[in-house]
Amino acid sequence: MSLLILVVDDEPDVEALFRQQFRRDIRDGRFTMDFAQSADNALKLITDAAAASLILILSDINMPGMTGLELLPKAKAARPDVPVIMITAYGDTDTRRKALEGGAEALLTKPIDFVALRSEIDSRVAGAGVDVG
């Protein structure tokens, strides 16, 4: 079973950053990561990810076109079983409330605390019944 984490962010350098932070996990086959630079592309990947076991969606909030907050209910409708963590440079109270009311599991602020994110991912991988060893 291939565990998939989807990262949605319009900044091109985000993919390189995540691949570097999780290179050992990806190399060891603990999970794979897919990247979308827009909410529209993310929705396509979410619906096409039936073969892979999508275990987590990480989405930026501020993106051109559809925002992460607009993507959230659509992603939850398409895959209600998959937790969504929102990421923002602006972790104000109103943004946090909107994200959590919209169904997000959590809101992380940039720069991302990769130790906290790794802990979140490890718990998702463990919940999927895969050894996090």
Side-chain angles (χ1 to χ4, degrees), residues 60-74:
D60 189 23
I61 289 180
N62 296 313
M63 296 183 288
M66 187 189 316
T67 69
L69 289 175
E70 293 167 331
L71 168 65
L72 182 56
K74 295 177 182 193

Side-chain angles (χ1 to χ4, degrees), residues 3 30 55 119-132:
L3 301 181
R30 286 188 66 223
I55 60 165
S119 173
E120 189 69 37
I121 288 173
D122 285 348
S123 70
R124 301 288 166 212
V125 171
V130 174
D131 178 26
V132 293

Side-chain angles (χ1 to χ4, degrees), residues 87-110:
I87 301 170
T88 184
Y90 314 100
D92 61 88
T93 308
D94 191 47
T95 301
R96 180 174 299 280
R97 180 185 55 74
K98 286 178 183 172
L100 296 177
E101 286 177 359
E105 289 280 313
L107 179 73
L108 300 178
T109 54
K110 292 180 180 179

Side-chain angles (χ1 to χ4, degrees), residues 23-38:
R23 67 185 176 280
R24 182 174 294 141
D25 301 284
I26 294 168
R27 185 188 65 224
D28 293 346
R30 286 188 66 223
F31 53 79
T32 59
M33 292 188 126
D34 212 340
F35 297 85
Q37 289 191 337
S38 73

